[in-house]
Amino acid sequence: QVQLVESGGGSVQPGGSLRLSCAASTYMSIDDYCMAWFRQAPGQKREGVAAVYTTRGRIYYADSVKGRFTISRDNAKNTLYLQMNSLKSEDTAMYYCAARYLGCNSGSDPADFGYWGQGTQVTVSA
């Protein structure tokens, strides 16, 4: 059974940094999955932030986070990360970890992902 547990959210001032983590259950290997981060602000649609499928060397970033966010993973810990730097108020949202077996497709459409974590809140304000 695929289980994903996010952590690392919190409140930070504009320009600050946070690192989100997504721990995957031991019954899966994140190597076999496209792993992604999505976010959803109140009243907004869920949007793709970043995705990685290491087997094919594919990484996707939304234009709004390119150069500021970095997606990575630790195979030994079966954990996905999202390093977020230079945070802006518009980055405020609930952040979700997601997994899709064998390939990312576009990497940005939430409908393509069948496994989700419970989310972790990120708030950027002065």
Side-chain angles (χ1 to χ4, degrees):
Q1 183 176 357
V2 176
Q3 290 185 330
L4 305 170
V5 179
E6 303 97 332
S7 61
S11 295
V12 64
Q13 293 185 342
S17 298
L18 283 173
R19 189 177 80 154
L20 306 183
S21 299
C22 171
S25 60
T26 56
Y27 297 104
M28 65 176 286
S29 169
I30 60 174
D31 258 351
D32 297 329
Y33 290 78
C34 175
M35 301 297 297
W37 290 98
F38 288 81
R39 66 186 181 187
Q40 187 168 19
Q44 302 295 317
K45 295 190 299 182
R46 191 168 295 190
E47 65 172 352
V49 175
V52 59
Y53 184 46
T54 305
T55 303
R56 294 290 180 90
R58 285 195 59 192
I59 296 180
Y60 156 85
Y61 289 103
D63 288 342
S64 59
V65 306
K66 282 180 181 176
R68 300 188 298 122
F69 290 11
T70 303
I71 190 170
S72 64
R73 60 189 186 85
D74 185 329
N75 288 347
K77 295 182 178 179
N78 217 26
T79 299
L80 179 74
Y81 301 100
L82 184 69
Q83 178 66 43
M84 305 186 295
N85 298 328
S86 301
L87 282 161
K88 306 175 181 180
S89 57
E90 50 262 44
D91 295 318
T92 295
M94 184 72 78
Y95 282 71
Y96 297 91
C97 175
R100 183 178 191 269
Y101 189 58
L102 293 182
C104 282
N105 207 8
S106 72
S108 61
D109 186 348
D112 289 334
F113 290 78
Y115 304 102
W116 293 86
Q118 81 289 350
T120 186
Q121 178 68 36
V122 172
T123 302
V124 185
S125 69

